[in-house]
Amino acid sequence: MRPLCGAIITAGALIGLGLFSLGYGTRYAAYAERNDTGHFNAEYWVKFSQMDTPLIILLVLLVASLGIGLAVAFVGLAYHHHKRHLELLHRENNAQAPGHSVKA
């Protein structure tokens, strides 16, 4: 169940990052800077420090939730495999014990 929860958190964060990128593109589509001759630059990258504060907060929260979701998914899968390995060892030890029979 833990890996599934982590995957859901990760999927939500990725959807949120996609919506964020649409909003970011809409917000800064007409944002341009003039060069020394007074003409607009063909390409202009908006720096992280020049972004609006709510967009920065949203980006940080979405990236953090993406990392948390991935961590929960991987740790959950590792824990799941560890439990299954212990189950297998328990079955093997009980099957090899004298006087015990395994019913199929």
Side-chain angles (χ1 to χ4, degrees):
M1 195 68 176
R2 286 177 200 89
L4 182 62
C5 292
I8 291 170
I9 292 170
T10 303
L14 287 174
I15 291 170
L17 282 171
L19 292 173
F20 171 81
S21 66
L22 289 173
Y24 179 81
T26 303
R27 168 69 176 95
Y28 294 110
Y31 193 76
E33 183 179 76
R34 294 182 183 267
N35 57 14
D36 296 334
T37 60
H39 295 85
F40 287 113
N41 289 335
E43 291 184 14
Y44 182 72
W45 292 86
V46 177
K47 296 178 184 171
F48 188 72
S49 61
Q50 295 172 337
M51 289 172 52
D52 295 335
T53 304
L55 284 177
I56 293 173
I57 292 171
L58 183 63
L59 180 64
V60 168
L61 288 176
L62 286 172
V63 169
S65 65
L66 178 69
I68 289 170
L70 285 173
V72 168
F74 281 112
V75 170
L77 277 174
Y79 182 65
H80 172 77
H81 287 293
H82 177 69
K83 282 178 55 177
R84 295 301 161 250
H85 178 69
L86 291 179
E87 260 182 22
L88 179 67
L89 290 177
H90 180 71
R91 285 184 190 167
E92 287 177 357
N93 288 341
N94 285 343
Q96 294 175 356
H100 289 89
S101 62
V102 177
K103 294 180 182 179

